Amino acid sequence: MTTFDLILVGFGNVARRFVALLAEERSVLRRGYGVTVRVVGIATRRHGQAYAAAGLRSYERSLSGSAEAGHHAPLASAQSTATRTFLRDALKRSATAARQRRLVVVETTTLDIADGQPAIGHVRAALAGGAHVITANKGPVAFAYRSLARQADRAGRRFLFEGAVMDGVPVFNLVRETLPAVTVIGFRGVVNSTTNYMLTEMERGQPFDAALADMQARGIAEADASLDIDGWDAAAKAAALANVLLDAHITPHAVDRQGITPATGRLAIDARAAGRRVKLVVSGTREGRQVKVRVALEELPADDLLAGLDGQQNAIVLRTDLLEEFAVVQRSGSVTETAYALLSDLLTITRERATRQSPPPARRRRSP
Amino acid sequence: MTTFDLILVGFGNVARRFVALLAEERSVLRRGYGVTVRVVGIATRRHGQAYAAAGLRSYERSLSGSAEAGHHAPLASAQSTATRTFLRDALKRSATAARQRRLVVVETTTLDIADGQPAIGHVRAALAGGAHVITANKGPVAFAYRSLARQADRAGRRFLFEGAVMDGVPVFNLVRETLPAVTVIGFRGVVNSTTNYMLTEMERGQPFDAALADMQARGIAEADASLDIDGWDAAAKAAALANVLLDAHITPHAVDRQGITPATGRLAIDARAAGRRVKLVVSGTREGRQVKVRVALEELPADDLLAGLDGQQNAIVLRTDLLEEFAVVQRSGSVTETAYALLSDLLTITRERATRQSPPPARRRRSP
């Protein structure tokens, strides 16, 4: 039985649900994977920080079982230093776990679309301190995938981010673990739930503002509405997909980007009347040595797989060499699904460590 | 560098394309996985058998590069003993490779819907002889999954069958490798290409016989048309899915089964006129301790994901505890895609052997 120590950087809904999930799945972790997991550090931006080498037990307990997310014990130390300073200190205090490859930093701060910081800095510090990193934040993989993957590789640690796109529905893990020797040539998809829901509602005549307010009230839309409606969230996901699957080296700012506006409602209504659908489509294709990545409003025929996605459904269609085209469709979304992405990444790490398995070989590119 | 030895039982289009694929991917195998692969044995039903401990090189060469499938050198020994006798003998001659866990039997005989034989016997003999088994035949997993998985487990060898459903598009590998701790509660899908193509054509007014003849001419339909149109192929796939994903213990004969007939054309046309689609849908659900599995003609609303599958497209929707519903959609089919299923299974084995990794823990069932 190995004990994995977690340092949580960011402690919003996703991280809290993740901690609760760890408790719910405790017996699966023990019996199936031979691991126990404890949270040794928590850093929040506004609500303090805490570290305890033996585990923040009372904290974990307050989040599991019947305790409601949000109604948890106050952090042991409300005295807040800079998160990065706290993280460096926590990594030093966990040096033994780091050396034994059983320390994991869980990064769930919110995306800053300007430059992916401070998340990228957290990932770098964590890897430098000997921790594995799992994250549900799109920033690191959208802005700095190549250098972070290289740093992780050199350190012999993992940097995993399944939750960056389509929550816990396998995309990155799918390609890495189940498609050996397959080269991805391109992708198309609908990956932003807020705009897809809004388009579905606007087709039915609901005004832009009402549709957006609805998504904000339900906690689906980003706090900063621009991230969704201006296509930034989709652009970050497209950059992440391109960087990982197409070996691109871009940031969301290099993505040819479109969003939705109140005027889009008219387009959506007219398209629907003609048996077509307007969708905000991300795509990535290799053109010679270039990778073209974009987020664009597209009017799709009814029989396009992406046209069939209503409300919050997402999908990614992968074009490959050996398997031609196939798609993964997410039919629902919830904070549990994002939290599960972190759990699946954590279990990838525990499984590899248990068997001293090296990760699958880096994907080599070939011309399509 | 480890050399894996393969014994091919069955040597039709899929096995031949697989051997060619091994040659095409030789450098990926060497550099990415540290393995070379050679074919040491081939058993066919009608065209003889061959074994050479050092590898049937001339045979492999004739299948790779520009050589057309079918135009290969005659087998070294056209003198045919019973396949099972040949296999037992070949396993004995490959005892060293078996002991070193680098012997793999590749089973690609055709499905016998009566009882899954002789494929099940081949799998048992292979595992007893210390070989891993990979197969694209639905029979073993549809008729005898539980006992074969147990035998493989006890022998410390793998029994893998990604190609049994949706060719090489990951279904079984997806659940096993990328959904740790997730429990599958049920599935729905369209998994038989011939009937789905025929329904699509019959909706447009093409007669049953013409649609079937078309699929036979294109090599998509099974040689025995009843396997497709009477729902047997779909029933075998549904049984395989239920046995593996829902821990059922059934055979295709226990599947509540429907097929398509010339009269189905009228239903399909009427449904289409009403904006709906008729599909041959497989499904599996757990009801208490029972697992209900069926193949049934269903009239679906246009916005059902399965209603959008035209022609030869397939899809499986998984219902799970932690990820709710998600789907995998196969948008095309080819012999390369089935051959790739074998390659992906082979690479799972090489990767595990290289790292002495144990397979993921057996999936425990919980009440949904």
Side-chain angles (χ1 to χ4, degrees), chain A residues 25 28 32-33 170 174 177-180 182 305 324-329 331-332 340 347 351 355 357 361 364 366, chain B residues 25 28 32-33 170 174 177-180 182 305 324-329 331-332 337 340 347 351 355 357 361 364 366:
Chain A
E25 301 293 330
V28 171
Y33 294 81
L174 172 86
E177 302 290 334
T178 72
L179 298 179
V182 166
L305 185 142
E324 301 187 29
E325 276 197 7
F326 71 96
V328 183
V329 183
R331 312 250 293 164
S332 52
Y340 174 74
L347 290 176
R351 214 180 127 200
T355 58
Q357 181 189 8
R364 291 180 323 96
R366 324 175 246 209
Chain B
E25 302 293 331
V28 172
Y33 294 82
L174 171 87
E177 302 289 335
T178 73
L179 298 179
V182 165
L305 185 142
E324 301 186 29
E325 275 196 8
F326 72 96
V328 184
V329 183
R331 312 250 293 163
S332 52
E337 296 188 34
Y340 173 73
L347 290 177
R351 212 180 128 199
T355 57
Q357 182 188 6
R364 292 179 323 96
R366 327 174 243 209

Short mmCIF file of all heavy atoms in Angstrom, two decimals, chain A residues 25 28 32-33 170 174 177-180 182 305 324-329 331-332 340 347 351 355 357 361 364 366, chain B residues 25 28 32-33 170 174 177-180 182 305 324-329 331-332 337 340 347 351 355 357 361 364 366:
data_model
loop_
_atom_site.label_atom_id
_atom_site.label_comp_id
_atom_site.label_asym_id
_atom_site.label_seq_id
_atom_site.Cartn_x
_atom_site.Cartn_y
_atom_site.Cartn_z
N GLU A 25 -14.31 7.00 -3.40
CA GLU A 25 -13.66 5.91 -4.12
C GLU A 25 -12.54 5.27 -3.30
O GLU A 25 -11.71 4.55 -3.85
CB GLU A 25 -13.11 6.42 -5.46
CG GLU A 25 -14.16 7.03 -6.37
CD GLU A 25 -15.16 6.00 -6.88
OE1 GLU A 25 -14.79 4.82 -7.02
OE2 GLU A 25 -16.33 6.38 -7.13
N VAL A 28 -12.00 1.57 -3.83
CA VAL A 28 -11.49 1.26 -5.17
C VAL A 28 -9.99 1.56 -5.22
O VAL A 28 -9.19 0.79 -5.76
CB VAL A 28 -12.23 2.09 -6.25
CG1 VAL A 28 -11.56 1.94 -7.61
CG2 VAL A 28 -13.69 1.68 -6.33
N GLY A 32 -8.16 -1.78 -5.68
CA GLY A 32 -7.83 -1.91 -7.09
C GLY A 32 -6.42 -1.43 -7.40
O GLY A 32 -5.77 -1.95 -8.31
N TYR A 33 -5.95 -0.42 -6.68
CA TYR A 33 -4.70 0.22 -7.06
C TYR A 33 -3.64 0.18 -5.96
O TYR A 33 -2.51 0.61 -6.16
CB TYR A 33 -4.96 1.68 -7.48
CG TYR A 33 -5.78 1.74 -8.74
CD1 TYR A 33 -7.17 1.60 -8.70
CD2 TYR A 33 -5.16 1.88 -9.98
CE1 TYR A 33 -7.92 1.61 -9.86
CE2 TYR A 33 -5.90 1.89 -11.13
CZ TYR A 33 -7.28 1.75 -11.07
OH TYR A 33 -8.01 1.75 -12.22
N PRO A 170 -12.67 10.73 -21.91
CA PRO A 170 -11.29 10.58 -22.34
C PRO A 170 -11.02 11.15 -23.75
O PRO A 170 -11.69 10.76 -24.70
CB PRO A 170 -11.06 9.07 -22.36
CG PRO A 170 -12.19 8.47 -21.61
CD PRO A 170 -13.33 9.44 -21.68
N LEU A 174 -7.31 8.93 -24.07
CA LEU A 174 -7.73 8.01 -25.13
C LEU A 174 -6.64 7.88 -26.20
O LEU A 174 -6.25 6.77 -26.58
CB LEU A 174 -9.01 8.55 -25.76
CG LEU A 174 -9.51 7.85 -27.02
CD1 LEU A 174 -10.38 6.68 -26.65
CD2 LEU A 174 -10.29 8.80 -27.91
N GLU A 177 -3.31 6.34 -24.51
CA GLU A 177 -3.31 4.97 -23.99
C GLU A 177 -3.88 3.95 -24.96
O GLU A 177 -3.53 2.78 -24.88
CB GLU A 177 -4.13 4.90 -22.69
CG GLU A 177 -3.65 5.83 -21.58
CD GLU A 177 -2.32 5.39 -20.97
OE1 GLU A 177 -2.02 4.18 -21.03
OE2 GLU A 177 -1.59 6.25 -20.45
N THR A 178 -4.80 4.35 -25.83
CA THR A 178 -5.50 3.33 -26.61
C THR A 178 -5.27 3.44 -28.12
O THR A 178 -5.82 2.64 -28.86
CB THR A 178 -7.03 3.34 -26.35
OG1 THR A 178 -7.61 4.49 -26.97
CG2 THR A 178 -7.35 3.35 -24.87
N LEU A 179 -4.49 4.41 -28.56
CA LEU A 179 -4.25 4.53 -30.00
C LEU A 179 -2.76 4.46 -30.34
O LEU A 179 -2.23 5.33 -31.04
CB LEU A 179 -4.84 5.83 -30.54
CG LEU A 179 -6.36 5.97 -30.41
CD1 LEU A 179 -6.82 7.31 -30.95
CD2 LEU A 179 -7.07 4.85 -31.15
N PRO A 180 -2.07 3.42 -29.85
CA PRO A 180 -0.65 3.33 -30.17
C PRO A 180 -0.47 3.25 -31.68
O PRO A 180 -1.27 2.60 -32.36
CB PRO A 180 -0.22 2.02 -29.49
CG PRO A 180 -1.47 1.22 -29.36
CD PRO A 180 -2.56 2.23 -29.12
N VAL A 182 -1.09 5.22 -33.93
CA VAL A 182 -2.00 6.02 -34.76
C VAL A 182 -1.54 7.46 -34.77
O VAL A 182 -1.17 8.01 -33.74
CB VAL A 182 -3.44 5.94 -34.21
CG1 VAL A 182 -4.33 7.02 -34.83
CG2 VAL A 182 -4.03 4.56 -34.46
N LEU A 305 -22.40 15.27 -37.74
CA LEU A 305 -22.46 14.81 -36.34
C LEU A 305 -22.50 16.00 -35.38
O LEU A 305 -23.22 15.98 -34.38
CB LEU A 305 -21.26 13.92 -36.04
CG LEU A 305 -21.20 13.26 -34.67
CD1 LEU A 305 -20.64 11.85 -34.79
CD2 LEU A 305 -20.39 14.06 -33.67
N GLU A 324 -9.08 6.27 -39.84
CA GLU A 324 -9.89 7.28 -40.52
C GLU A 324 -10.54 8.17 -39.46
O GLU A 324 -9.86 8.65 -38.57
CB GLU A 324 -10.90 6.59 -41.45
CG GLU A 324 -10.13 5.74 -42.49
CD GLU A 324 -11.01 5.15 -43.58
OE1 GLU A 324 -12.04 5.75 -43.92
OE2 GLU A 324 -10.65 4.09 -44.12
N GLU A 325 -11.88 8.37 -39.55
CA GLU A 325 -12.52 9.29 -38.62
C GLU A 325 -13.30 8.58 -37.54
O GLU A 325 -14.05 7.64 -37.81
CB GLU A 325 -13.52 10.18 -39.38
CG GLU A 325 -12.89 11.38 -40.00
CD GLU A 325 -13.94 12.44 -40.38
OE1 GLU A 325 -15.13 12.28 -40.03
OE2 GLU A 325 -13.55 13.41 -41.01
N PHE A 326 -13.15 9.04 -36.32
CA PHE A 326 -14.08 8.61 -35.27
C PHE A 326 -14.28 9.76 -34.31
O PHE A 326 -13.53 10.75 -34.32
CB PHE A 326 -13.62 7.33 -34.58
CG PHE A 326 -12.44 7.50 -33.70
CD1 PHE A 326 -12.61 7.69 -32.34
CD2 PHE A 326 -11.17 7.46 -34.21
CE1 PHE A 326 -11.52 7.85 -31.51
CE2 PHE A 326 -10.07 7.62 -33.40
CZ PHE A 326 -10.24 7.82 -32.04
N ALA A 327 -15.33 9.66 -33.50
CA ALA A 327 -15.70 10.78 -32.65
C ALA A 327 -15.97 10.33 -31.22
O ALA A 327 -16.36 9.19 -30.98
CB ALA A 327 -16.96 11.45 -33.20
N VAL A 328 -15.74 11.24 -30.31
CA VAL A 328 -16.12 11.03 -28.91
C VAL A 328 -17.12 12.13 -28.57
O VAL A 328 -16.89 13.30 -28.87
CB VAL A 328 -14.91 11.10 -27.98
CG1 VAL A 328 -15.33 10.80 -26.54
CG2 VAL A 328 -13.83 10.14 -28.43
N VAL A 329 -18.25 11.74 -28.00
CA VAL A 329 -19.34 12.68 -27.73
C VAL A 329 -19.63 12.71 -26.24
O VAL A 329 -19.88 11.66 -25.63
CB VAL A 329 -20.63 12.26 -28.48
CG1 VAL A 329 -21.73 13.28 -28.25
CG2 VAL A 329 -20.35 12.07 -29.97
N ARG A 331 -22.24 13.74 -23.51
CA ARG A 331 -23.67 14.00 -23.56
C ARG A 331 -24.17 14.78 -22.36
O ARG A 331 -25.35 15.08 -22.26
CB ARG A 331 -24.41 12.67 -23.64
CG ARG A 331 -23.80 11.75 -24.71
CD ARG A 331 -24.69 11.57 -25.86
NE ARG A 331 -25.86 10.84 -25.46
CZ ARG A 331 -26.97 10.80 -26.18
NH1 ARG A 331 -27.04 11.47 -27.32
NH2 ARG A 331 -28.00 10.10 -25.78
N SER A 332 -23.30 15.09 -21.45
CA SER A 332 -23.72 15.78 -20.23
C SER A 332 -22.47 16.39 -19.63
O SER A 332 -21.36 16.05 -20.02
CB SER A 332 -24.32 14.79 -19.25
OG SER A 332 -23.41 13.71 -19.07
N TYR A 340 -13.70 13.95 -11.97
CA TYR A 340 -13.29 12.62 -12.38
C TYR A 340 -12.05 12.66 -13.29
O TYR A 340 -11.20 11.78 -13.25
CB TYR A 340 -14.41 11.84 -13.08
CG TYR A 340 -13.86 10.54 -13.61
CD1 TYR A 340 -13.57 9.50 -12.74
CD2 TYR A 340 -13.52 10.40 -14.95
CE1 TYR A 340 -12.98 8.34 -13.20
CE2 TYR A 340 -12.94 9.24 -15.42
CZ TYR A 340 -12.67 8.21 -14.53
OH TYR A 340 -12.06 7.07 -14.99
N LEU A 347 -4.97 8.23 -11.16
CA LEU A 347 -4.84 6.76 -11.23
C LEU A 347 -3.85 6.34 -12.30
O LEU A 347 -3.20 5.30 -12.17
CB LEU A 347 -6.23 6.13 -11.43
CG LEU A 347 -7.13 6.25 -10.18
CD1 LEU A 347 -8.52 5.68 -10.46
CD2 LEU A 347 -6.49 5.53 -8.99
N ARG A 351 -0.79 3.94 -11.18
CA ARG A 351 -0.58 2.68 -11.87
C ARG A 351 0.84 2.61 -12.44
O ARG A 351 1.49 1.58 -12.37
CB ARG A 351 -1.59 2.61 -13.02
CG ARG A 351 -2.09 1.22 -13.32
CD ARG A 351 -3.07 1.30 -14.47
NE ARG A 351 -2.68 0.39 -15.51
CZ ARG A 351 -3.07 0.46 -16.77
NH1 ARG A 351 -3.90 1.43 -17.16
NH2 ARG A 351 -2.67 -0.43 -17.64
N THR A 355 4.14 0.05 -11.14
CA THR A 355 4.76 -0.94 -12.02
C THR A 355 6.04 -0.40 -12.63
O THR A 355 6.62 -1.04 -13.48
CB THR A 355 3.80 -1.30 -13.15
OG1 THR A 355 3.46 -0.10 -13.85
CG2 THR A 355 2.54 -1.94 -12.61
N GLN A 357 6.27 1.65 -14.70
CA GLN A 357 6.04 1.70 -16.14
C GLN A 357 6.47 3.04 -16.67
O GLN A 357 6.25 4.07 -16.04
CB GLN A 357 4.55 1.51 -16.41
CG GLN A 357 4.23 1.52 -17.88
CD GLN A 357 2.74 1.54 -18.11
OE1 GLN A 357 1.97 1.70 -17.18
NE2 GLN A 357 2.34 1.41 -19.36
N PRO A 361 5.39 5.75 -25.52
CA PRO A 361 6.40 6.54 -26.23
C PRO A 361 5.79 7.83 -26.75
O PRO A 361 4.61 7.89 -27.07
CB PRO A 361 6.81 5.63 -27.38
CG PRO A 361 5.72 4.63 -27.51
CD PRO A 361 5.14 4.45 -26.15
N ARG A 364 5.37 10.17 -32.47
CA ARG A 364 6.18 10.69 -33.55
C ARG A 364 5.26 11.18 -34.65
O ARG A 364 4.20 10.62 -34.89
CB ARG A 364 7.09 9.62 -34.12
CG ARG A 364 8.20 9.20 -33.17
CD ARG A 364 9.07 8.15 -33.80
NE ARG A 364 8.29 7.23 -34.61
CZ ARG A 364 8.12 7.31 -35.91
NH1 ARG A 364 8.65 8.28 -36.61
NH2 ARG A 364 7.40 6.41 -36.54
N ARG A 366 4.30 11.87 -38.53
CA ARG A 366 4.63 11.52 -39.91
C ARG A 366 3.77 12.39 -40.79
O ARG A 366 2.72 12.86 -40.38
CB ARG A 366 4.27 10.08 -40.25
CG ARG A 366 4.46 9.14 -39.15
CD ARG A 366 3.96 7.78 -39.58
NE ARG A 366 2.80 7.42 -38.79
CZ ARG A 366 2.48 6.16 -38.52
NH1 ARG A 366 3.18 5.17 -39.01
NH2 ARG A 366 1.43 5.89 -37.80
N GLU B 25 4.61 -0.60 -39.88
CA GLU B 25 4.85 0.08 -38.60
C GLU B 25 6.13 -0.42 -37.94
O GLU B 25 6.33 -0.20 -36.74
CB GLU B 25 3.65 -0.14 -37.67
CG GLU B 25 2.32 0.36 -38.23
CD GLU B 25 2.26 1.88 -38.35
OE1 GLU B 25 2.93 2.57 -37.56
OE2 GLU B 25 1.56 2.37 -39.27
N VAL B 28 8.02 2.14 -35.92
CA VAL B 28 7.29 2.55 -34.71
C VAL B 28 7.45 1.48 -33.63
O VAL B 28 7.68 1.77 -32.46
CB VAL B 28 5.79 2.77 -35.02
CG1 VAL B 28 4.99 2.98 -33.73
CG2 VAL B 28 5.60 3.94 -35.97
N GLY B 32 9.52 2.99 -30.78
CA GLY B 32 8.57 3.39 -29.74
C GLY B 32 8.40 2.33 -28.66
O GLY B 32 8.15 2.65 -27.50
N TYR B 33 8.50 1.07 -29.06
CA TYR B 33 8.15 0.00 -28.12
C TYR B 33 9.30 -0.98 -27.86
O TYR B 33 9.15 -1.89 -27.05
CB TYR B 33 6.91 -0.76 -28.62
CG TYR B 33 5.69 0.13 -28.61
CD1 TYR B 33 5.45 1.02 -29.66
CD2 TYR B 33 4.82 0.13 -27.53
CE1 TYR B 33 4.37 1.88 -29.62
CE2 TYR B 33 3.74 0.97 -27.48
CZ TYR B 33 3.51 1.85 -28.54
OH TYR B 33 2.44 2.69 -28.50
N PRO B 170 -11.45 2.37 -30.24
CA PRO B 170 -11.35 1.82 -28.89
C PRO B 170 -12.69 1.78 -28.15
O PRO B 170 -13.36 2.79 -28.02
CB PRO B 170 -10.41 2.80 -28.16
CG PRO B 170 -9.78 3.64 -29.22
CD PRO B 170 -10.67 3.62 -30.40
N LEU B 174 -10.70 1.33 -24.31
CA LEU B 174 -11.09 2.62 -23.75
C LEU B 174 -11.56 2.48 -22.31
O LEU B 174 -11.10 3.18 -21.41
CB LEU B 174 -12.22 3.21 -24.60
CG LEU B 174 -12.91 4.46 -24.07
CD1 LEU B 174 -12.16 5.70 -24.52
CD2 LEU B 174 -14.34 4.55 -24.55
N GLU B 177 -8.54 1.02 -20.07
CA GLU B 177 -7.34 1.83 -19.86
C GLU B 177 -7.62 3.25 -19.41
O GLU B 177 -6.79 3.87 -18.77
CB GLU B 177 -6.50 1.88 -21.15
CG GLU B 177 -6.07 0.53 -21.69
CD GLU B 177 -5.01 -0.14 -20.83
OE1 GLU B 177 -4.27 0.57 -20.13
OE2 GLU B 177 -4.93 -1.39 -20.85
N THR B 178 -8.76 3.82 -19.83
CA THR B 178 -8.94 5.25 -19.57
C THR B 178 -10.10 5.58 -18.64
O THR B 178 -10.34 6.74 -18.38
CB THR B 178 -9.13 6.05 -20.89
OG1 THR B 178 -10.43 5.78 -21.41
CG2 THR B 178 -8.07 5.71 -21.92
N LEU B 179 -10.81 4.57 -18.15
CA LEU B 179 -11.92 4.86 -17.25
C LEU B 179 -11.78 4.17 -15.90
O LEU B 179 -12.69 3.50 -15.43
CB LEU B 179 -13.26 4.47 -17.90
CG LEU B 179 -13.62 5.21 -19.18
CD1 LEU B 179 -14.95 4.70 -19.73
CD2 LEU B 179 -13.71 6.71 -18.93
N PRO B 180 -10.61 4.34 -15.26
CA PRO B 180 -10.44 3.69 -13.98
C PRO B 180 -11.51 4.19 -13.01
O PRO B 180 -11.85 5.37 -13.03
CB PRO B 180 -9.05 4.14 -13.53
CG PRO B 180 -8.79 5.41 -14.26
CD PRO B 180 -9.47 5.22 -15.59
N VAL B 182 -14.56 3.93 -13.00
CA VAL B 182 -15.90 4.18 -13.56
C VAL B 182 -16.64 2.86 -13.71
O VAL B 182 -16.07 1.87 -14.16
CB VAL B 182 -15.80 4.89 -14.93
CG1 VAL B 182 -17.13 4.84 -15.66
CG2 VAL B 182 -15.34 6.33 -14.74
N LEU B 305 -28.78 10.47 -31.02
CA LEU B 305 -27.45 10.34 -31.63
C LEU B 305 -27.41 9.16 -32.61
O LEU B 305 -26.82 9.24 -33.69
CB LEU B 305 -26.39 10.17 -30.55
CG LEU B 305 -24.93 10.14 -30.99
CD1 LEU B 305 -24.06 10.88 -29.99
CD2 LEU B 305 -24.41 8.71 -31.15
N GLU B 324 -21.75 9.97 -16.42
CA GLU B 324 -23.07 9.96 -17.05
C GLU B 324 -22.95 9.32 -18.44
O GLU B 324 -22.36 8.26 -18.55
CB GLU B 324 -23.65 11.38 -17.10
CG GLU B 324 -23.77 11.93 -15.66
CD GLU B 324 -24.47 13.28 -15.56
OE1 GLU B 324 -25.33 13.57 -16.40
OE2 GLU B 324 -24.18 14.01 -14.59
N GLU B 325 -23.48 9.97 -19.49
CA GLU B 325 -23.46 9.34 -20.81
C GLU B 325 -22.40 9.93 -21.71
O GLU B 325 -22.26 11.14 -21.80
CB GLU B 325 -24.82 9.55 -21.50
CG GLU B 325 -25.84 8.52 -21.12
CD GLU B 325 -27.02 8.52 -22.10
OE1 GLU B 325 -26.95 9.21 -23.14
OE2 GLU B 325 -27.98 7.81 -21.82
N PHE B 326 -21.69 9.07 -22.41
CA PHE B 326 -20.88 9.56 -23.51
C PHE B 326 -20.85 8.49 -24.59
O PHE B 326 -21.24 7.35 -24.37
CB PHE B 326 -19.48 9.99 -23.06
CG PHE B 326 -18.59 8.85 -22.69
CD1 PHE B 326 -17.69 8.33 -23.61
CD2 PHE B 326 -18.64 8.31 -21.42
CE1 PHE B 326 -16.87 7.28 -23.26
CE2 PHE B 326 -17.82 7.26 -21.07
CZ PHE B 326 -16.93 6.74 -21.99
N ALA B 327 -20.43 8.89 -25.79
CA ALA B 327 -20.52 7.99 -26.93
C ALA B 327 -19.22 7.95 -27.71
O ALA B 327 -18.46 8.93 -27.73
CB ALA B 327 -21.65 8.45 -27.86
N VAL B 328 -19.00 6.83 -28.37
CA VAL B 328 -17.90 6.70 -29.31
C VAL B 328 -18.53 6.37 -30.66
O VAL B 328 -19.38 5.49 -30.75
CB VAL B 328 -16.91 5.60 -28.90
CG1 VAL B 328 -15.73 5.56 -29.86
CG2 VAL B 328 -16.43 5.82 -27.47
N VAL B 329 -18.14 7.11 -31.69
CA VAL B 329 -18.76 6.97 -33.00
C VAL B 329 -17.70 6.58 -34.03
O VAL B 329 -16.68 7.26 -34.15
CB VAL B 329 -19.41 8.30 -33.45
CG1 VAL B 329 -20.11 8.13 -34.79
CG2 VAL B 329 -20.38 8.81 -32.39
N ARG B 331 -16.86 6.38 -37.85
CA ARG B 331 -17.42 7.05 -39.02
C ARG B 331 -17.08 6.33 -40.31
O ARG B 331 -17.48 6.76 -41.38
CB ARG B 331 -16.88 8.47 -39.08
CG ARG B 331 -17.00 9.17 -37.72
CD ARG B 331 -18.01 10.23 -37.72
NE ARG B 331 -17.61 11.31 -38.56
CZ ARG B 331 -18.44 12.25 -39.01
NH1 ARG B 331 -19.72 12.18 -38.71
NH2 ARG B 331 -18.00 13.22 -39.75
N SER B 332 -16.32 5.28 -40.24
CA SER B 332 -15.92 4.57 -41.45
C SER B 332 -15.49 3.18 -41.02
O SER B 332 -15.31 2.92 -39.85
CB SER B 332 -14.73 5.29 -42.09
OG SER B 332 -13.71 5.46 -41.11
N GLU B 337 -8.85 -0.97 -40.43
CA GLU B 337 -9.29 -0.64 -39.08
C GLU B 337 -9.41 -1.88 -38.20
O GLU B 337 -9.12 -1.84 -37.01
CB GLU B 337 -10.61 0.14 -39.13
CG GLU B 337 -10.42 1.48 -39.82
CD GLU B 337 -11.64 2.39 -39.72
OE1 GLU B 337 -12.33 2.37 -38.70
OE2 GLU B 337 -11.89 3.13 -40.69
N TYR B 340 -5.93 -2.94 -37.43
CA TYR B 340 -5.35 -2.06 -36.41
C TYR B 340 -5.77 -2.49 -35.00
O TYR B 340 -5.00 -2.37 -34.05
CB TYR B 340 -5.73 -0.59 -36.63
CG TYR B 340 -5.24 0.23 -35.46
CD1 TYR B 340 -3.89 0.50 -35.31
CD2 TYR B 340 -6.12 0.63 -34.46
CE1 TYR B 340 -3.42 1.16 -34.20
CE2 TYR B 340 -5.65 1.29 -33.34
CZ TYR B 340 -4.31 1.56 -33.21
OH TYR B 340 -3.84 2.21 -32.11
N LEU B 347 0.25 -4.17 -29.05
CA LEU B 347 1.09 -3.16 -28.40
C LEU B 347 0.75 -3.04 -26.91
O LEU B 347 1.63 -2.73 -26.10
CB LEU B 347 0.95 -1.82 -29.12
CG LEU B 347 1.61 -1.81 -30.51
CD1 LEU B 347 1.38 -0.49 -31.22
CD2 LEU B 347 3.11 -2.10 -30.40
N ARG B 351 3.79 -3.52 -24.30
CA ARG B 351 4.04 -2.46 -23.32
C ARG B 351 3.99 -3.03 -21.90
O ARG B 351 4.82 -2.70 -21.06
CB ARG B 351 2.94 -1.40 -23.48
CG ARG B 351 3.39 -0.01 -23.17
CD ARG B 351 2.20 0.93 -23.36
NE ARG B 351 2.03 1.73 -22.17
CZ ARG B 351 0.92 2.36 -21.85
NH1 ARG B 351 -0.15 2.26 -22.64
NH2 ARG B 351 0.86 3.07 -20.77
N THR B 355 7.33 -3.58 -19.12
CA THR B 355 7.39 -2.91 -17.82
C THR B 355 6.92 -3.82 -16.71
O THR B 355 6.77 -3.40 -15.59
CB THR B 355 6.48 -1.68 -17.85
OG1 THR B 355 5.17 -2.10 -18.20
CG2 THR B 355 6.97 -0.67 -18.86
N GLN B 357 4.19 -4.68 -16.17
CA GLN B 357 2.99 -4.06 -15.62
C GLN B 357 1.90 -5.10 -15.48
O GLN B 357 1.71 -5.95 -16.35
CB GLN B 357 2.52 -2.96 -16.57
CG GLN B 357 1.30 -2.24 -16.05
CD GLN B 357 0.74 -1.30 -17.08
OE1 GLN B 357 1.20 -1.28 -18.20
NE2 GLN B 357 -0.26 -0.53 -16.70
N PRO B 361 -6.75 -3.24 -12.62
CA PRO B 361 -7.51 -4.14 -11.75
C PRO B 361 -8.81 -4.55 -12.40
O PRO B 361 -9.40 -3.79 -13.17
CB PRO B 361 -7.76 -3.29 -10.50
CG PRO B 361 -7.55 -1.87 -10.93
CD PRO B 361 -6.55 -1.91 -12.02
N ARG B 364 -14.70 -3.93 -10.55
CA ARG B 364 -15.65 -4.39 -9.56
C ARG B 364 -17.02 -3.83 -9.89
O ARG B 364 -17.15 -2.73 -10.41
CB ARG B 364 -15.24 -3.94 -8.16
CG ARG B 364 -13.98 -4.60 -7.66
CD ARG B 364 -13.63 -4.08 -6.28
NE ARG B 364 -13.94 -2.66 -6.14
CZ ARG B 364 -15.04 -2.18 -5.62
NH1 ARG B 364 -15.98 -2.97 -5.17
NH2 ARG B 364 -15.22 -0.87 -5.52
N ARG B 366 -20.66 -2.38 -8.86
CA ARG B 366 -21.43 -1.83 -7.74
C ARG B 366 -22.83 -1.61 -8.25
O ARG B 366 -23.05 -1.48 -9.44
CB ARG B 366 -20.93 -0.46 -7.29
CG ARG B 366 -19.47 -0.26 -7.44
CD ARG B 366 -19.15 1.17 -7.09
NE ARG B 366 -18.60 1.83 -8.26
CZ ARG B 366 -17.74 2.83 -8.18
NH1 ARG B 366 -17.38 3.31 -7.02
NH2 ARG B 366 -17.25 3.37 -9.27
#
